[in-house]
Amino acid sequence: MTQQITHEGLDEVVQQSPHKWVYLFSEGNAKMRDLLGGKGAGVAEMTNAGLPVPPGFTITTEACNTYYEADKQFPQGMWQQALEALKIVEQQTDKGFGKKENPLLVSVRSGAKFSMPGMMDTVLNLGINDETVQGLVALTGNERFAYDAYRRFIQMFSKTVLNADPHAFEQVLERYKKEANIKSDAEIPAAALKQLVVEFKQIAEHQSGHPFPTDVYEQLHKAIEAVFSSWNNKRAIDYRNFNKIPHHLGTAVNVQSMVFGNMGNDSGTGVAFTRSPTTGEKQLYGEYLLNAQGEDVVAGTRTPSKIERLQEELPHVYQQFQQTAERLERHYRDMQDLEFTVEKGRLYMLQTRSGKRNAQAAVKVAIDMVAEGLIDKQEAVKRVEPVQVYHLLLPRFDEEEKKKATDAGRLLAKGLNASPGAAYGKAVFDADRAEEMGKAKIPVVLVRPETSPDDVHGMLVAKGVLTARGGATSHAAVVARGLGLPCVAGTEGIRVDEAERLFRVIGTDKVIREGDEISIDGASGEIFAGTIPTVAPDFDKEVDLKKLLSWADSYRRLQVWANADYPRDAKRAIDFGAEGIGLCRTEHMFMEQERLPIVRKMILAKTKQERQAALDQLLPFQRSDFKGIFETMINPKVGEGYPVVIRLIDPPLHEFLPSYEEVLVEVTKLEMSGADPQQLKEKRELLETVDNMREQNPMLGLRGCRLGLIFPEINVMQTRAILEAALELAKEGKKIQPKIMIPLVSHANELKEVRRQLEAVAKEVAGEAGSAIEYKFGTMIELPRAALLADQLAPVADFFSFGTNDLTQTTFGISRDDADRTFLLRYVEGLEEPGLKEKVRIFPTHPFQVVDREGVGQLVRMAVEKGRKAKEHLELGICGEHGGDPDSIEFFHMIGMDYVSCSPFRVPIARLAAAQAALSHQEQDK
């Protein structure tokens, strides 16, 4: 009968409507993710592949966006198309929606283009009421199953659609279990479930102010509205902001005929991955529950069984599922996240999508799939997200310190190792407080009985997540892996008391209260009292990652350099694959304890001779500093040094002196005590100097090249130190590539004069040594005027390095030192306006983290074009924080930069992001 069904009815309705809003599963395919969302495209592909998929239809993402544009009204013709599609589903299932005899129940699920696990809403068992429940009883002969489905529907519909408080239902449910002396929902007898249905409807009516809807079409209408509306709930918006998912995509709605995993012990439901999402190992990884529905597994309210056990309990189902999983992975050429239900021994597939995985798994799966011939190296490079590389290089607990903590009795309990990584912080038992403390830069570990999607805003700022219940596929585990957060789930050795904000360790008198420090190891599942020191990972042992990055290197055009001020930083950068130093800040060397007194002596000098004497003392220190960095940057394979860009002193000199307020307090104390007249005289002189050097706006004051023009002897000393260090190594047969960078230039005359001074020094050093060293002079482009007039600067420079931190600051007119605290974070996260349900976001991204392409980016592009027009082979790089941001790296690739420079730990990220940018634009150019 099913084979004879046609889509004529739906086609006629579509022809009468201005647009097609609804697609049967048989009408879609995997390439329609933009329109049908990931879930809709997945079930369509499985349907067309002949897999056992319950029939249904998808309402498009376009319908969702039109719903919002029309002030939350369904698009014209959409409801009629949905009703016609529902009729076809009735034919396909031989069931009737709202009919007492053989009733059809459906699920209503969200499904955006990009996976957002648990962030939007779902309603199961829709279509049940006092009449159809009797039909279910007659059909199945199982009164308990029917009323369990009914109470589940009322509970879920009330929370999702009617915005009722879920705790009110949970309290009643717990009361029933306590009175019956049972532990699980599955043990509640039919008679009690009947009474629960009555009480649940009363709670729903009390909280919503309206009788619980019994008209099944009203239920469906309201559920579709609720799913559309959930696209813009707080947790969904927070999740998209964190994962940089565009807000304009909208969600699809999938309406699918229900199959039931709660019909007895030959029924069940589960979630599984075709490979381990924590290690990447090629084995089924998942969990299931017998006599349960889908939300029981992902909600974490019951701790499920591992998928391997299904082979013992339902062997024929396990074998079929294993074959289906392998088939889907080969078809999609990627690790799949599968949802399934078993009804009376029959397997049904409810979902397939690309599986969320942590960093270790992402890299291993990509490498292994190349070896298996499923994908090529280019695809492997594109598959791994740059942020996952960052997660792989996060610190881990020191094993020796863990052993000491264990021996000291600080090991509290052990749960499931749901998402690897080390985290420590204050235990917090509420997502709102976690968000508040996290934003205040207080490290927190979010502790919950089990997490729900409503906790995601707390998870986004937490260092780790700990739950008492739930498994490796629970909401907490899935979201934590996606965020790169350590997570320990299903810790049955603790009992969480939300009301008292504490957890107790079962079998002991140990109690952890809110604010106490705890440490969790997501790799082992261990929980400790107090903090445990961490250690940096050994990059050399990350064999798979190094292989992936070597592939990435073969595709990228941009070179990746690093910002490093000391030899140890330079060594780390080289280990991570850096090809040069794009920014060495010399002022950091002045802050060393043995040098700071000499620097202050130089600043406080009353004559040029006194200043020069202090600089002569500093010269050997600086020469040794630069020699150490040059030596570290020598490539042992060729005996030649990587390029090193050294920026001459940039900050105002007062930054090397005590603050005015600090000296004023010291002077006042000495005046009041009268103890040391000589010291009082010196402190007064220091106070006068500090006062004279104070500026209202020091970031735009006497700093950068201006400092070198007013006090040229400082630049002279630094240039001499750089070139003498290079010459010493050259005499040892080591070729060095020093590049001297002049900061904060706004006028070509500044650059001309500083270059004239420094070339004279270079000539003098060469004469003294009897040989010259090859070097380059360049400038930072960090002021709008410099970018606008780059064609005037280029003839005087050998290279440009874009200081996008200051360029962003001076383009926006925003202080990067103060803005986050005062207004910038609120601009990015959204302003709360009275009368508006949603926050108003002023900036789409944080401009100091992601380059502002429209404003700052336009200045950079202009400077690149003007600079290269004036000097064809002008070397161009960027050394601001944006050099390690994947989105910014793509932009720098597009406009023709030669290199990006970032902090050493972000070098692997930049290598991968640069390759992905090259591959992406290579495809676009075809």
Side-chain angles (χ1 to χ4, degrees), residues 821-837:
R821 178 174 50 84
T822 53
F823 72 92
L824 185 53
L825 285 179
R826 293 178 64 196
Y827 265 35
V828 175
E829 294 169 359
L831 302 173
E832 294 181 355
E833 295 281 348
L836 291 179
K837 293 182 180 179

Side-chain angles (χ1 to χ4, degrees), residues 476-516:
V478 171
V479 174
R481 281 195 293 270
L483 299 176
L485 281 177
C487 176
V488 177
T491 314
E492 297 185 351
I494 66 172
R495 287 288 177 269
V496 176
D497 188 324
E498 293 181 80
E500 292 191 41
R501 299 182 189 176
L502 55 82
F503 72 77
R504 292 182 170 85
V505 181
I506 296 171
T508 76
D509 58 357
K510 294 177 180 177
V511 177
I512 297 294
R513 303 181 186 278
E514 184 155 289
D516 290 348

Side-chain angles (χ1 to χ4, degrees), residues 266 310 314-322 340 342 345-347:
D266 60 351
L310 187 63
L314 297 172
H316 66 288
V317 171
Y318 181 83
Q319 184 178 7
Q320 185 186 359
F321 179 72
Q322 192 173 41
F340 66 94
V342 181
R346 184 176 177 186
L347 175 69

